[in-house]
Amino acid sequence: MESQRVAVIIEDDTDIRDLLHAVLQQSGFEVHASPNGSEGVEAVRRHNPAVVTLDLGLPDIDGFEVIRQLRQFSDAYIVMLTARAEELDTLMGLEAGADDYVTKPFRPRELRARISAMLRRPRTTAEPVAGQGVPGAAVPAQVPAMVPSAEEGVYRHNGLVLDSGTRSTEIGGRQIALTRTEFDLLQALLSGGRRVRTKPDLVRRLRGEEYDTGSYISDADERTIEVHVGNLRRKLGDDSRAPRWLETVRGVGYRLAPEQG
Ligand code: CA
């Protein structure tokens, strides 16, 4: 059971917590607020929110550990709140599995924009269970070489199968647990084929913008894409120097690697 309209706030500063509470409530969320990491993890377990806002500097466990614990069981959209000076922390948080961040002091409008962009994206339906196998499932003896095609929303490329209907990804019959951000990026690249997807293009995609609407995209937004692609490669077991799936086009963006015979 999950609710599109439940949010959990993990924040030890009372003023910021109250502000976040007001902003999220105005956006129509049922809000649960926790003053520290361990209570926050429990709140996410209990309420299964669509959105988590997370302060990285917490009194008990550090924010990165909170993200790692949440990613064991939750595919909530995790937005970190970071101080402007903490760029390295932001990158580490994204590597640990957070989706996005806003810097403090944040403008309520900015947070609302991030969250409404997230709500435009579809929700993962397959539970991201670590090490999940499908007992008794028929695993094809061999995955035929296929060009990426969008037949019924199923993409296949070099042994990888992504099903946008069930929002699941597998390689040789083995399920790969991806966050929704990683899934959306992978789908964007599979659907683009050998056409290069620029980083701003991918930022827009994650914001739920179908095409260039002229919204501002910062260097930090582009670095966020680089970190998510790095995470994706690690989970897929892809090698950036000899890619099976994600090829870097230096200084521009990414595209699908060539089909291997
Ligand atoms: Ca704090």
Side-chain angles (χ1 to χ4, degrees):
M1 288 277 279
E2 63 192 17
S3 171
Q4 278 282 40
R5 284 294 174 181
V6 174
V8 166
I9 297 165
I10 308 177
E11 171 65 67
D12 61 321
D13 183 303
T14 312
D15 290 340
I16 298 174
R17 199 166 63 233
D18 290 348
L19 175 59
L20 286 167
H21 200 290
V23 168
L24 289 164
Q25 209 162 43
Q26 281 160 14
S27 299
F29 283 93
E30 174 192 321
V31 184
H32 302 273
S34 305
N36 61 54
S38 52
E39 285 182 33
V41 171
E42 279 319 300
V44 173
R45 208 186 294 280
R46 204 170 326 121
H47 302 293
N48 196 14
V51 174
V52 175
T53 72
L54 174 68
D55 176 29
L56 288 181
L58 292 166
D60 56 343
I61 5 179
D62 81 52
F64 310 119
E65 180 55 26
V66 172
I67 296 167
R68 278 188 285 271
Q69 289 187 19
L70 294 182
R71 281 294 177 239
Q72 302 294 312
F73 63 89
S74 171
D75 75 336
Y77 180 77
I78 301 176
V79 189
M80 298 177 282
L81 295 176
T82 63
R84 211 163 282 279
E86 294 170 340
E87 191 186 342
L88 188 62
D89 283 2
T90 304
L91 295 178
M92 284 173 63
L94 292 167
E95 276 169 11
D99 291 278
D100 208 346
Y101 66 95
V102 292
T103 47
K104 289 194 247 187
F106 69 94
R107 287 181 307 231
R109 193 161 55 97
E110 187 187 2
L111 183 65
R112 272 197 295 266
R114 294 293 168 98
I115 287 168
S116 51
M118 178 279 300
L119 290 175
R120 283 197 292 272
R121 287 157 53 188
R123 195 96 206 270
T124 302
T125 52
E127 284 297 306
V129 178
Q132 178 187 16
V134 184
V139 177
Q142 58 183 52
V143 180
M146 281 185 230
V147 292
S149 70
E151 293 159 36
E152 296 170 29
V154 178
Y155 298 87
R156 299 165 193 273
H157 190 69
N158 290 340
L160 179 147
V161 182
L162 177 145
D163 185 333
S164 58
T166 58
R167 288 183 70 78
S168 60
T169 308
E170 56 178 67
I171 297 173
R174 182 172 57 93
Q175 290 281 333
I176 309 292
L178 301 178
T179 67
R180 73 168 82 190
T181 294
E182 290 156 0
F183 184 92
D184 290 344
L185 281 175
L186 183 57
Q187 186 175 358
L189 290 162
L190 285 165
S191 66
R194 292 287 287 160
R195 191 159 56 86
V196 180
R197 289 277 194 177
T198 67
K199 288 173 202 171
D201 209 21
L202 293 168
V203 173
R204 283 189 199 98
R205 175 82 173 214
L206 292 186
R207 289 182 184 167
E209 299 169 3
E210 290 298 312
Y211 42 83
D212 186 353
T213 56
S215 60
Y216 177 67
I217 290 164
S218 66
D219 289 350
D221 291 329
E222 296 194 20
R223 275 195 295 281
T224 298
I225 296 293
E226 291 167 15
V227 177
H228 286 312
V229 169
N231 288 344
L232 198 45
R233 280 191 170 125
R234 200 176 57 240
K235 288 188 181 178
L236 299 178
D238 206 7
D239 179 350
S240 60
R241 286 157 304 176
R244 282 173 75 187
W245 299 290
L246 308 180
E247 183 179 297
T248 299
V249 181
R250 203 173 291 277
V252 184
Y254 306 94
R255 65 179 172 184
L256 205 56
E259 194 185 340
Q260 292 170 2

